[in-house]
Amino acid sequence: MFQGASALNLDAKGRMSVPAKHRDALLVQGEGRVTLTKHPDGCLLLFPRPEWETFRARVAQLPMDAHWWRRIFLGSAADVELDSAGRILVSPELRSAAGIEKEVMLLGMGSHLELWDAASYTAKEQAAIAQGMPEALKQFNF
């Protein structure tokens, strides 16, 4: 289970050091093999390989009117492995798609992680807070 936020920097080659708390889980769950793909909110999804296989199967079952979403999720997917230093390479194409340059936020989302451009994430988070709580959360006890 992935949770929590980490502020990170990509190196000049586009590699990201995965925090130890997530690296250990990625090594156990997927032997260090992960898949990155686009998300429609403007971030990247990072899945341990077994979770990716489950997600990929669900996406493949989408009806024909969702064929572009199949293309976005599956056509953009990149399989990568953690290197010996615990880093993953984020391809230039995926960095460009998510507007990622150097400063990123890595968010644990349960079964997977999200990778955001830090400034974009902060702006979207502030906009969500400014809109107020959605109806679905108004009856939720904290």
Side-chain angles (χ1 to χ4, degrees), residues 97-116:
I100 292 173
E101 292 183 21
K102 184 172 176 72
E103 296 179 0
V104 297
M105 287 294 294
L106 185 66
L107 301 175
M109 299 299 293
S111 64
H112 63 281
L113 298 140
E114 290 182 350
L115 184 61
W116 286 86

Side-chain angles (χ1 to χ4, degrees), residues 29-84:
Q29 287 185 34
E31 300 172 350
R33 297 176 312 142
V34 301
T35 300
L36 287 164
T37 194
K38 294 177 188 176
H39 187 283
D41 284 344
C43 66
L44 300 178
L45 298 172
L46 190 157
F47 291 93
R49 193 64 50 81
E51 290 293 335
W52 168 251
E53 297 297 334
T54 301
F55 180 79
R56 182 176 64 181
R58 289 178 40 219
V59 169
Q61 297 298 317
L62 290 172
M64 276 306 293
D65 64 350
H67 67 276
W68 270 105
W69 291 105
R70 241 190 333 272
R71 288 183 180 113
I72 290 167
F73 290 124
L74 303 181
S76 302
D79 295 333
V80 295
E81 292 191 25
L82 271 78
D83 67 13
S84 60

